Amino acid sequence: MSENSIKSITILSILLFFIYTIFEAILTFGQFKLQEILSVSLVFFSLFIFLVIIFYKRFYLTKIVFNLKVVALSLIVTFFMIIFLHASIGQFKYYYHTFPLLETEIGLGWHKDTANHVSIIQSILNFGYPSIGQHGTPVFIYHVLSHYIDALILKITGLEPYDSYGLFFHFKKFLMLSSILVFVSFSFRKEKIYFFIIAYILIAPIIVGTYHIIGSHPLWFTSMVLILSAPKVFNILIKGENDIKDYLFIFFIIIIISLGKISTGFMYASFVGVFLLLKQPYNKFTYILGSSWVLFFLIYKKLMEYNATGKTGIDFSWINLNEIYNYLFHNSSVMNNILASIFIFILLSYIFRTRINVLFLISSIITLILLMIITKSMQTFNKNDIFYFIYGLSSVISLFAIQLYTINVTEFKSIFNNNTNIEIKKIIFITILLSSLYVISFLPKPQLKKSNIKICKQINKRFKKINKKLPKKHKLSCKIKLKEIKYTKVSDKIDRPLLNFRNNLYTFMKKNQILKKNTVMFIPKNIFTNDFKVFKGTDWARGMLIYAITGVPLVYGVKNLRGNYGYLDYSKNNLWLDESKFSSVKICKDIKTEYIIIVNSLFKPEFSLHRCKNVK
C-alpha cells in the first residue's frame, strides 16, 4: 500500500505543480499569447511523460490510489516544488531573461552564451546541423543533443528561439524538479510515505544545486536522461552477472548523455567502466564496452575542435601535495559534493562491509584521481571546462550515493540493539547520510521564505529591473486579490528596434519568396560598430546575436577570431567588412547560397537583394 501511495503522491504532485507552472508562466511571460504558452507547456509535459514511460513503464502502470491522505501529502510535496522552482539561479539570471528580445532592445544587455546557443538552434532549424552562421554555415561539432530537442519543440510550437529562451527555461525547471521526484519515488518506493517526502525535500536541492543542471544549455536534456535512467543503471551495476543487454543499455545511455554534454558523459563512462572492471574483470563485454567508449571519445575529441586557452599539450608540473590538497579542498562547492558522496561510500562500506559498497567506494576514488589528472593536465581547458568535468562526476556520484543508501537501509537495524524501533533507526540513518551530502556540499539552497510561494511577489521581482527602463504607462505588474487577477502584457506601443528590424526582414523575404536556408545576410562593419552599441552586451558576439534573433545566416559576421564558441571554423577573411569592400560576386562564388540580403539600415530597416547567378 505504501508503494502505491508514493506513486499516487508523485503523480498528483506533478500534475498540481504543472498547473501551477502554467499559471505562473501566463502571469509572467506577457509577450506570448495564452495558446502559445499552453502549447509550450504541453510539449514539455509530453516529453516528460515520454521519458518516464521509457524508464519506469511498469512502475507507473500499476495500481494507483487516491484518498484524502494522498491529496494532503501531495499538496505538501507541491509546496516544496514551488519553493525549489523559485530558488536563486545565480549567474544564470544573466543568461535567461524573462523578455530576452525586449530587454536587449532597451539596453539591459544580453549574454554571449545565450546568443551562441540560440544560433546553434537556428542552424538546426534551418539546415538540420549545428553552426553559429557567421560566414556561411560551417558545421560546428559540439555537444548539441539538448539543442536538437529545443529545435524540435520550437518546430512544433512555432515560437521564435531567442524570444522564448526564458519561457523554455521556466518549463525546464518543471521538468527537472518533476524528474527528481520520480527518481526519489522509485528509489524510496519501499519506504514509509513520510520517509519518501523527507528524502525528496533533502535530495532535490542537492541535485538542483546552483541550477547548472539546466542553466548550462547542453545539460538540460542530458540531466533528465541521467536522472531518470539512474535507477536502471544502478540496478545493472549491483546485480550479480551482467548480460549483453545490460552492457548495451549502459553503452547507449552514456553515448546519449555524452552527445548532450561530453564532460558528464566522459565522467559517467569512467566511473561505470572502473566499477565493471573491478566487478567483472574476466567478462569480455567489459573490455568491449570500454574499448567502444574509448573509440567514441577519441573520435569525438578529434571532431570537436576546441581551444579556449590558446595553449596546447599536457602539463604534469602540478603534481605535488600542495596542489592536490588545494584541488580537493579549495576548489568549488561541486567538488565538496563529490567528497561528501565518497564520505557516504566510506561510511556504508565501514558499517555494512558488502562487496558492492566497497566497489562504489574504490570506483569513486579511482575516478576522482582520473578527473584530477585530466582537468589539471589538459592545457586547452579553461576554468569553465574544468568546472563542468567536476560537475559531471558530481552529478553521477551523488545519484549513486543516494541509491546506495536505499539498498543498505534494510541492514540498518544491525547497528542498533533490538529494542530500538526500526522506523526511528531509519530516520536517524537518512538524516545522518543525507545531511552529510546536503550540508558538506555547501551548495546554494533555496531559502524557505514566505515570499517564495507568493506568486505575484516573485513575478514583480522579475519585472523590477525592466520597469526602470519602461515608460510609466507601459510598466509590467502582477496582482492577485480574492476575486481578481491582474497582470499586464507587453505593450505593442513600446519602441522595438530589433523586433521592427526582424519583422521588416521577414516581410522583405516573404515578398521576394526567399527562405532562410538559401539566404545569407551582410551587415556592414559600421552598423556592427555603431548601431549595436545601444544593445550593450559582448561586442565580439554581435554577429551571433543578430543571427539568434533573425535566423538568417551572416557573411562577414566575425569581429575577431576565437578558440571557442564555434569561431575556430572561421578565418581572418570572414571579419567585419566595410560596405565599400563588399562583393556579392565573391560571396556567390565562395558560399553555397542563392540570395544575399544587404542591410542598408538597422533602425530604419532597409534592404537590398542580390541573386547569385551561378545558382539555378
Side-chain angles (χ1 to χ4, degrees):
M1 181 60 73
S2 175
E3 184 172 329
N4 288 336
S5 295
I6 287 173
K7 282 185 285 189
S8 302
I9 291 169
T10 301
I11 291 170
L12 184 55
S13 297
I14 290 171
L15 288 174
L16 290 171
F17 184 50
F18 181 57
I19 293 169
Y20 175 89
T21 309
I22 294 173
F23 182 55
E24 183 173 312
I26 292 169
L27 297 181
T28 304
F29 298 95
Q31 68 270 51
F32 297 108
K33 298 175 183 177
L34 175 62
Q35 60 267 32
E36 291 174 329
I37 292 175
L38 291 177
S39 67
V40 170
S41 67
L42 290 174
V43 174
F44 273 102
F45 190 72
S46 299
L47 176 63
F48 172 71
I49 295 299
F50 174 72
L51 290 177
V52 170
I53 289 174
I54 288 177
F55 296 115
Y56 299 88
K57 183 178 181 180
R58 292 181 182 177
F59 181 59
Y60 281 98
L61 284 182
T62 52
K63 185 180 178 183
I64 305 298
V65 294
F66 288 101
N67 52 45
L68 187 60
K69 181 181 179 181
V70 166
V71 172
L73 293 174
S74 298
L75 289 170
I76 293 173
V77 173
T78 306
F79 169 82
F80 280 98
M81 294 178 85
I82 293 170
I83 289 177
F84 298 148
L85 177 73
H86 293 146
S88 171
I89 61 173
Q91 69 191 66
F92 294 111
K93 65 184 177 183
Y94 303 111
Y95 295 56
Y96 298 94
H97 291 188
T98 306
F99 306 95
L101 187 59
L102 176 60
E103 291 180 53
T104 301
E105 291 171 307
I106 62 177
L108 289 177
W110 48 277
H111 201 280
K112 59 185 181 294
D113 284 37
T114 303
N116 179 250
H117 292 301
V118 179
S119 293
I120 292 170
I121 293 168
Q122 290 280 24
S123 291
I124 293 170
L125 286 167
N126 289 338
F127 311 103
Y129 62 84
S131 174
I132 61 169
Q134 297 303 285
H135 189 82
T137 53
V139 178
F140 176 29
I141 303 297
Y142 191 59
H143 31 227
V144 292
L145 180 60
S146 293
H147 300 77
Y148 272 93
I149 304 300
D150 279 291
L152 177 62
I153 296 171
L154 288 163
K155 194 75 174 175
I156 294 170
T157 59
L159 297 185
E160 286 286 346
Y162 189 77
D163 305 35
S164 57
Y165 206 60
L167 176 65
F168 276 32
F169 184 74
H170 178 72
F171 283 104
K172 287 170 186 176
K173 289 165 95 175
F174 159 77
L175 288 183
M176 209 53 58
L177 291 168
S178 300
S179 297
I180 295 168
L181 183 60
V182 170
F183 164 75
V184 173
S185 72
F186 185 82
S187 299
F188 292 84
R189 64 193 181 280
K190 295 180 181 177
E191 303 303 325
K192 295 292 184 181
I193 296 173
Y194 60 82
F195 201 49
F196 148 70
I197 294 175
I198 292 171
Y200 179 72
I201 294 169
L202 290 174
I203 290 169
I206 295 169
I207 297 177
V208 168
T210 54
Y211 263 113
H212 280 82
I213 197 167
I214 50 175
S216 172
H217 194 108
L219 269 174
W220 78 265
F221 183 72
T222 297
S223 299
M224 275 190 73
V225 174
L226 175 66
I227 292 167
L228 292 175
S229 66
K232 174 71 172 174
V233 174
F234 181 77
N235 288 334
I236 288 173
L237 294 181
I238 65 172
K239 72 186 288 190
E241 286 293 324
N242 298 118
D243 55 29
I244 190 170
K245 288 182 181 179
D246 295 333
Y247 281 95
L248 284 172
F249 179 84
I250 291 177
F251 173 77
F252 284 113
I253 283 294
I254 290 180
I255 293 298
I256 289 169
I257 289 170
S258 299
L259 292 173
K261 190 72 173 180
I262 188 70
S263 51
T264 300
F266 181 82
M267 296 316 304
Y268 201 178
S270 300
F271 185 94
V272 171
V274 170
F275 188 96
L276 290 174
L277 185 61
L278 293 172
K279 177 190 169 189
Q280 298 173 154
Y282 302 110
N283 190 322
K284 64 180 180 181
F285 292 121
T286 300
Y287 297 94
I288 294 172
L289 178 70
S291 301
S292 301
W293 280 337
V294 168
L295 180 62
F296 169 79
F297 287 115
L298 285 174
I299 294 172
Y300 209 142
K301 183 180 181 299
K302 182 69 176 176
L303 293 174
M304 193 172 173
E305 293 184 28
Y306 174 84
N307 191 329
T309 63
K311 299 177 182 178
T312 58
I314 298 174
D315 177 26
F316 291 109
S317 63
W318 59 271
I319 300 178
N320 60 72
L321 290 177
N322 186 55
E323 283 288 333
I324 293 172
Y325 178 84
N326 288 334
Y327 183 85
L328 294 176
F329 300 105
H330 295 286
N331 195 313
S332 67
S333 59
V334 181
M335 177 60 77
N336 292 335
N337 202 32
I338 294 174
L339 297 177
S341 298
I342 292 176
F343 167 76
I344 288 177
F345 292 147
I346 293 172
L347 186 63
L348 291 174
S349 299
Y350 176 75
I351 295 171
F352 302 112
R353 303 186 184 183
T354 64
R355 182 169 181 262
I356 289 298
N357 289 344
V358 174
L359 284 176
F360 272 101
L361 173 59
I362 296 174
S363 300
S364 63
I365 293 172
I366 292 174
T367 311
L368 176 59
I369 293 171
L370 178 64
L371 169 71
M372 182 165 54
I373 292 171
I374 291 171
T375 55
K376 292 288 288 183
S377 302
M378 292 294 290
Q379 293 293 287
T380 57
F381 285 0
N382 62 16
K383 288 183 179 180
N384 282 337
D385 301 320
I386 293 170
F387 172 84
Y388 281 112
F389 269 88
I390 296 171
Y391 188 87
L393 181 57
S394 172
S395 302
V396 171
I397 208 172
S398 298
L399 293 172
F400 284 143
I402 291 163
Q403 292 178 96
L404 195 62
Y405 157 75
T406 65
I407 68 166
N408 282 277
V409 72
T410 54
E411 304 292 330
F412 182 69
K413 57 184 177 181
S414 63
I415 67 172
F416 280 108
N417 61 59
N418 293 329
N419 295 325
T420 307
N421 184 285
I422 187 62
E423 297 305 325
I424 295 176
K425 298 171 188 174
K426 289 181 179 180
I427 293 173
I428 295 171
F429 192 58
I430 185 80
T431 302
I432 292 172
L433 294 187
L434 293 184
S435 292
S436 298
L437 190 61
Y438 185 72
V439 176
I440 297 177
S441 68
F442 299 113
L443 291 174
K445 305 164 189 69
Q447 297 179 355
L448 306 184
K449 291 182 177 180
K450 190 176 179 181
S451 62
N452 274 21
I453 57 170
K454 288 188 174 181
I455 184 169
C456 274
K457 191 161 187 176
Q458 287 292 323
I459 293 169
N460 286 327
K461 278 196 323 189
R462 299 173 75 169
F463 291 163
K464 189 174 181 180
K465 195 173 180 181
I466 195 171
N467 277 337
K468 290 180 180 179
K469 293 276 190 175
L470 293 177
K472 187 175 181 179
K473 60 182 178 179
H474 298 315
K475 291 187 185 299
L476 304 168
S477 66
C478 169
K479 184 181 290 186
I480 298 179
K481 294 184 178 180
L482 189 61
K483 296 182 180 180
E484 185 180 31
I485 298 175
K486 286 185 177 181
Y487 65 99
T488 52
K489 306 289 283 184
V490 175
S491 173
D492 56 6
K493 302 291 175 68
I494 302 171
D495 183 31
R496 304 289 305 274
L498 290 174
L499 178 63
N500 186 44
F501 175 83
R502 185 174 67 193
N503 289 342
N504 277 272
L505 176 64
Y506 286 178
T507 301
F508 180 81
M509 294 176 72
K510 187 176 180 180
K511 179 181 177 181
N512 289 279
Q513 298 181 321
I514 59 178
L515 304 174
K516 294 178 182 179
K517 65 182 181 181
N518 59 8
T519 306
V520 294
M521 182 165 62
F522 170 66
I523 299 177
K525 182 178 179 179
N526 68 297
I527 292 180
F528 273 129
T529 304
N530 301 320
D531 293 357
F532 275 79
K533 280 184 180 178
V534 297
F535 307 128
K536 298 185 177 178
T538 308
D539 59 354
W540 59 259
R542 287 172 182 170
M544 287 196 298
L545 173 67
I546 201 66
Y547 181 43
I549 292 171
T550 65
V552 180
L554 304 183
V555 288
Y556 303 111
V558 181
K559 184 192 178 186
N560 47 49
L561 301 178
R562 308 181 61 81
N564 53 2
Y565 287 92
Y567 283 93
L568 274 175
D569 297 312
Y570 301 98
S571 70
K572 63 181 181 180
N573 297 321
N574 308 145
L575 302 181
W576 291 350
L577 194 68
D578 292 325
E579 188 173 6
S580 60
K581 297 179 181 179
F582 177 73
S583 168
S584 298
V585 175
K586 185 178 187 318
I587 293 300
C588 291
K589 182 180 178 182
D590 294 345
I591 294 176
K592 187 179 179 180
T593 186
E594 292 184 36
Y595 300 96
I596 303 170
I597 295 175
I598 300 168
V599 178
N600 300 316
S601 174
L602 181 70
F603 294 116
K604 295 181 179 179
E606 183 182 326
F607 310 99
S608 303
L609 182 66
H610 178 86
R611 187 180 192 281
C612 292
K613 296 178 181 179
N614 59 321
V615 179
K616 295 181 181 181

